Amino acid sequence: HANNFCSITPKQPTGPFYKSKNLSSVTDMTNGGRAIGEVIEIKGRVLDNKCNPQPSCQIKIWQANAFGKYNHENDISKNKIDIDFIGYNKIITDRLGYYKFITIIPGSYKINKSIIRPPHIHILVEARNGKKLTTQLYFKDHPFNNGDFLYKNIKKKTLVNLSLSKINNKIKSAYLNIVI
């Protein structure tokens, strides 16, 4: 990169639905397309703040299903369960820092009568050097984003916004670098 500087991805809270155990380790969280919802691909690179690739980073991913339900004991909502959706995952970046996974667009869910969380995907990146970053990825221009109490506080929203575009007849894709 010409400027030799990459902006650090904004941190976001882990939230109540984080699981540290029993994580799948697959690139396709849709269970071969059996999960309910719009299938998407998310890919990019993990870099440091000097734009150097970060190989062998562990990325933990967790998100709600298409109905806005987490596969977690703390999710006591009445939202529908999707037994085919793998809502918790762990992947490793390759030697050039690239990552890729297939999932669905998560559903929104109510926290209380007045707060609805926009669709978002949680990630925790752990680099070999011990650096860690927890954040949430949002879908660019979603109508619930601007009213969200966590999204509103992010200064550089482009660093956590996923812009989906169609890559073939089947799937939309977003490319986002994560800087730790």
Side-chain angles (χ1 to χ4, degrees):
H1 292 82
N3 61 6
N4 286 337
F5 177 76
C6 287
S7 295
I8 302 271
T9 301
K11 288 178 168 50
Q12 291 262 275
T14 306
F17 304 123
Y18 174 71
K19 278 186 190 179
S20 60
K21 296 185 174 89
N22 303 325
L23 299 177
S24 299
S25 196
V26 296
T27 54
D28 182 356
M29 295 171 66
T30 72
N31 206 354
R34 291 191 289 279
I36 296 166
E38 183 178 353
V39 177
I40 59 171
E41 174 188 77
I42 299 171
K43 59 185 175 179
R45 291 175 93 180
V46 176
L47 305 167
D48 68 12
N49 64 354
K50 293 183 177 69
C51 305
N52 297 310
Q54 298 298 293
S56 304
C57 289
Q58 180 176 267
I59 303 176
K60 292 179 180 174
I61 305 156
W62 65 105
Q63 69 173 80
N65 67 20
F67 306 107
K69 176 87 170 173
Y70 285 86
N71 175 14
H72 194 285
E73 61 193 14
N74 290 344
D75 188 341
I76 55 171
S77 73
K78 304 269 189 271
N79 298 353
K80 189 174 171 187
I81 294 168
D82 179 358
I83 59 166
D84 285 318
F85 179 64
I86 301 165
Y88 292 81
N89 198 11
K90 178 175 59 183
I91 59 174
I92 305 290
T93 59
D94 73 9
R95 62 186 183 80
L96 298 175
Y98 285 99
Y99 73 91
K100 178 169 85 171
F101 63 97
I102 294 173
T103 187
I104 50 107
I105 296 177
S108 300
Y109 57 88
K110 281 187 171 185
I111 292 180
N112 59 36
K113 287 178 184 170
S114 61
I115 299 175
I116 299 175
R117 289 295 329 269
H120 60 280
I121 298 171
H122 298 265
I123 59 167
L124 166 58
V125 181
E126 297 179 61
R128 288 187 310 190
N129 64 8
K131 273 191 185 173
K132 288 184 181 185
L133 174 90
T134 302
T135 195
Q136 296 177 31
L137 307 180
Y138 297 87
F139 293 86
K140 185 176 185 229
D141 299 328
H142 191 278
F144 293 163
N145 284 354
N146 290 333
D148 185 64
F149 65 104
L150 291 173
Y151 186 81
K152 279 196 284 200
N153 293 327
I154 300 170
K155 287 183 176 57
K156 294 183 180 178
K157 292 174 176 48
T158 56
L159 301 177
V160 293
N161 276 342
L162 298 169
S163 294
L164 293 171
S165 56
K166 209 160 204 158
I167 53 169
N168 59 37
N169 294 334
K170 293 182 181 173
I171 192 169
K172 287 181 183 170
S173 180
Y175 189 95
L176 187 73
N177 288 336
I178 301 162
V179 181
I180 59 173

